[in-house]
């Protein structure tokens, strides 16, 4: 390029045009930089999401290491949320292209909210009128554009005043007054709706009572913490007859999923003895009945129990009336339940969990990249591929498919495991995993004989998950009584959710009716039998 060509023109108009062009180019570059920054942050969020998924797959069921991994997952989830918020803030909504972006962003950042059909809707019409704003001519309707905004109506408290006039008879002077309506808690200001909200917020949304106290204060009601505690405990006590019936009904099943998880419990005796901080480790047990995967007629239900420790006496007491198939982990406390009685009959049969076995091989694979562990994962994965195909089929169809397609794969896995056991060190984690499967092979293959039995115990692990999430918020249960209250509240709330109910609506209706409900018709209020009371019936009541 010549020197003359590189010099700026002398014409002021051309100079201004060049400056304007450069400013436009700089603006375009800044916009592109902003877009690339947003894409980069989205990529960082995606990487973090994948890391969380990997960490969850590597999670161990038992041991101190599992607690460490759980804490790491919590930190990663917080970091991921912060990255997603930052990526959203960096994105310019008015500059988003109409076409598909060159680099796809995580689907979770672009997903549109789903609103149920039952959600109230309000229609606002922005009518331009009947006359043209330009010429004054008459306007006619040719169509309309529709858009939606999801808005929140804040919760609020109200005081219901119930007046009961006293009237006297002019003839006999008798005083007449309508009886006071029953309250969920005698002599308490808590209405059934408020009480249901408190219980669901604490035991399902994991919102401690001191936080609820702050929320109610913003609504204009100063409810002392001690009062909330009393309402919570008394509310669960009112529901205890239903809880007992749910537990008894669940135990009548011929198949159950079982699991347990630790909870920290305040122990006054340890505090007085000066041991630690006055906290011990209790246990929450869960027993789940769920026939939905094979289209069974029994309604799903779940029973939670609390125990101050993990001694085998507790599940033995819980399952004293149970007879059938129990699907659980390898907890040694269950072992005596699987032994035949004096006549040789077995009251409870064990169904093992392939997901637990898979985790053992997965831990070896992630730690050593063992090809044997990798092949074990592939072989187990083939069993799960078949299970996904037959989910929702009848028990007969599931058994037929398992006999024809799954059984040969399972028998090959057993023969292969026996061969591999002689090739690996007897003290290795890989050998331990093989022995775990081979020693309990009848339990691992029970699902092949009965189409009602699941391949793993994941339903129970999902059922215990609310306790795991909740203890991160409330940290510990208030003594053994607090653990019992937790187990009872979760029994009725989680059973209501399994039946497809909004737990708050269910509890509000139940708490309003249970005081006057006949004891011999209490089964009508169980989650799988519940029919909401109509407004007309409530008015008559």
């Amino acid at each position: 390029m010549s020197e003359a060509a590189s010099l700026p023109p002398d014409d002021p108009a051309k100079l201004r045009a060049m400056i304007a062009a450069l400013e436009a180019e700089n603006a375009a570059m800044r916009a592109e930089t902003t877009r690339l920054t947003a894409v980069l942050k989205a990529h960082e969020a995606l990487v973090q999401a994948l890391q969380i998924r990997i960490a969850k797959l590597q999670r161990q069921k038992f041991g101190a290491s599992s607690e460490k991994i759980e804490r790491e997952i919590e930190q990663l989830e917080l970091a991921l949320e912060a990255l997603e918020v930052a990526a959203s803030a960096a994105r310019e909504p008015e500059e988003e292209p109409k076409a598909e972006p060159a680099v796809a962003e995580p689907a979770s950042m672009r997903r549109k909210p789903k609103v149920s059909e039952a959600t109230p809707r309000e229609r606002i019409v922005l009518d331009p009128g009947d006359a043209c704003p330009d010429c004054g001519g008459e306007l006619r309707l040719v169509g309309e554009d529709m858009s939606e905004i999801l808005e929140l109506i804040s919760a609020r408290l109200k005081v219901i005043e119930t007046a009961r006039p006293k009237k006297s008879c002019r003839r006999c002077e008798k005083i007449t007054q309508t009886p006071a309506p029953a309250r969920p808690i005698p002599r308490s200001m808590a209405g059934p709706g408020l009480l249901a909200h408190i219980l669901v917020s604490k035991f399902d949304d994991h919102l401690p009572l001191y936080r609820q106290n702050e929320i109610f204060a913003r609504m204009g009601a100063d409810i002392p913490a001690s009062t909330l505690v009393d309402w919570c405990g008394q509310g669960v006590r009112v529901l205890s007859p239903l809880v007992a019936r749910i537990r008894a009904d669940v135990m009548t099943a011929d198949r159950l999923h079982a699991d347990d998880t630790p909870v920290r419990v305040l122990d006054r005796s340890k505090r007085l003895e000066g041991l630690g901080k006055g906290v011990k480790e209790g246990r929450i047990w869960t027993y789940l009945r769920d026939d939905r995967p094979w289209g069974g007629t029994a309604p799903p239900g779940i029973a939670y129990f609390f125990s101050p420790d993990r001694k085998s006496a507790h599940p033995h007491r819980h399952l004293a009336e149970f007879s059938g198939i129990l699907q659980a982990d390898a907890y040694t406390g269950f072992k005596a339940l699987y032994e035949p009685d004096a006549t040789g009959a077995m009251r409870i049969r064990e169904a093992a969990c392939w997901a637990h076995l898979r985790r053992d091989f997965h831990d070896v694979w992630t730690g050593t990249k063992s090809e044997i562990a990798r092949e074990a994962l592939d072989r187990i994965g083939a069993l799960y591929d078949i299970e996904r195909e037959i989910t929702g089929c009848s028990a007969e169809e599931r058994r037929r498919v398992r006999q024809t397609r799954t059984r040969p794969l399972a028998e090959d896995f057993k023969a292969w495991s026996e061969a591999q056991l002689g090739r690996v060190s007897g003290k290795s984690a890989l050998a331990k995993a093989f022995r775990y499967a081979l020693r309990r092979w009848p339990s691992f293959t029970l699902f092949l004989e009965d189409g009602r039995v699941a391949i793993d115990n994941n339903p129970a692990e999902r059922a215990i998950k609310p306790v795991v999430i909740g203890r991160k918020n409330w940290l510990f249960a208030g003594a053994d009584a607090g653990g019992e209250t937790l187990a009872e509240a979760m029994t009725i709330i989680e059973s209501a959710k399994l039946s497809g109910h909004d737990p708050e609506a269910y509890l509000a209706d139940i708490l309003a009716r249970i005081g006057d409900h006949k004891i011999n018709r209490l089964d009508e209020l169980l989650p799988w039998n519940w029919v909401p009371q109509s407004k007309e019936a409530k008015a008559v009541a």
Side-chain angles (χ1 to χ4, degrees), residues 457-494:
N457 198 37
N458 285 348
E461 295 189 6
R462 289 192 294 268
I464 209 70
K465 191 67 174 179
V467 182
V468 178
I469 297 174
R471 69 188 179 204
K472 298 176 184 177
N473 292 272
W474 36 260
L475 300 181
F476 49 77
D480 291 350
E484 295 285 358
T485 301
L486 170 65
E488 291 189 8
M490 293 197 62
T491 294
I492 194 165
I493 289 174
E494 294 299 323

Side-chain angles (χ1 to χ4, degrees), residues 280-342:
K280 66 178 181 181
E281 185 175 276
R283 215 77 188 178
I284 292 291
W285 305 81
T286 183
Y287 303 94
L288 171 69
R289 174 186 64 197
D290 191 357
D291 294 346
R292 293 175 296 178
W294 56 273
T297 58
I302 187 167
Y304 293 87
F305 295 89
F306 169 80
S307 66
D309 50 52
R310 207 189 184 206
K311 295 179 180 178
S312 61
H314 304 299
H316 287 208
R317 184 179 69 257
H318 303 155
L319 299 167
E321 302 299 324
F322 172 71
S323 177
I325 297 172
L326 182 67
Q327 194 146 26
D329 57 23
Y331 170 54
T332 56
F334 289 137
K335 186 176 180 181
L337 294 173
Y338 307 137
E339 296 177 355
D341 58 18

